[in-house]
Amino acid sequence: MSQKILVLLFVSAVLVSAACFADDSNANSAALTGNPIYKKDCAKCHGKTAEGRHFGGPSLVSEKVAGASADELRGMIANGKGHMPKFTGKLADSDIDQLVQQIKAANQK
Ligand code: HEC
């Protein structure tokens, strides 16, 4: 009888820890997607989770972004490209720098 309870406790402990690990995949992008500037100016195209939107912007968590230098990302945000608007004059340099750091962090494995 008590053995069954132990087995039950063990199984539920495993399930609970599995649920915690499942959450970890997005932990690195939390700073970016929690940034009020991101929510206001970027999420409508790049998505609430920064993983992109159909007919909007591409995912900001990708091989391509991971391979881009901080300067390239800063240039992309400051000057825009194609349907990506430019944010020079709309955001302070320090805000753009912070976004660059948070995009970099989101792409760290
Ligand atoms: C109006 C929609 C729109 C908004 C708003 C927008 N983006 Fe984009 N973004 C795009 C599109 C479209 C591209 C792809 C541009 C291309 O390569 O032609 C892009 C590309 C990018 C890239 C390069 C990604 C890559 O794969 O090379 C970065 C970084 C980026 N955006 C960051 C941001 C940030 C940070 C903000 C908010 C300050 C933002 N974007 C707001 C549409 C948008």
Side-chain angles (χ1 to χ4, degrees):
M1 184 62 181
S2 65
Q3 235 172 353
K4 269 189 189 163
I5 293 175
L6 277 180
V7 168
L8 209 71
L9 281 177
F10 179 73
V11 168
S12 41
V14 168
L15 287 178
V16 167
S17 56
C20 294
F21 280 120
D23 237 22
D24 264 357
S25 61
N26 268 334
N28 290 342
S29 55
L32 177 65
T33 56
N35 182 337
I37 297 171
Y38 180 85
K39 290 190 197 175
K40 181 172 161 286
D41 290 323
C42 322
K44 60 175 176 279
C45 292
H46 292 286
K48 265 195 282 194
T49 62
E51 283 161 2
R53 295 188 64 180
H54 289 296
F55 310 116
S59 176
L60 297 182
V61 183
S62 69
E63 295 285 318
K64 190 177 168 214
V65 175
S69 69
D71 278 345
E72 286 168 330
L73 294 175
R74 195 176 291 114
M76 177 66 99
I77 300 167
N79 306 320
K81 182 184 169 197
H83 292 289
M84 164 79 193
K86 66 182 219 150
F87 283 92
T88 298
K90 287 190 228 163
L91 293 178
D93 284 353
S94 58
D95 290 336
I96 294 180
D97 277 341
Q98 187 183 37
L99 286 165
V100 168
Q101 294 314 318
Q102 289 171 342
I103 291 169
K104 283 247 148 233
N107 282 281
Q108 229 100 78
K109 295 258 157 73

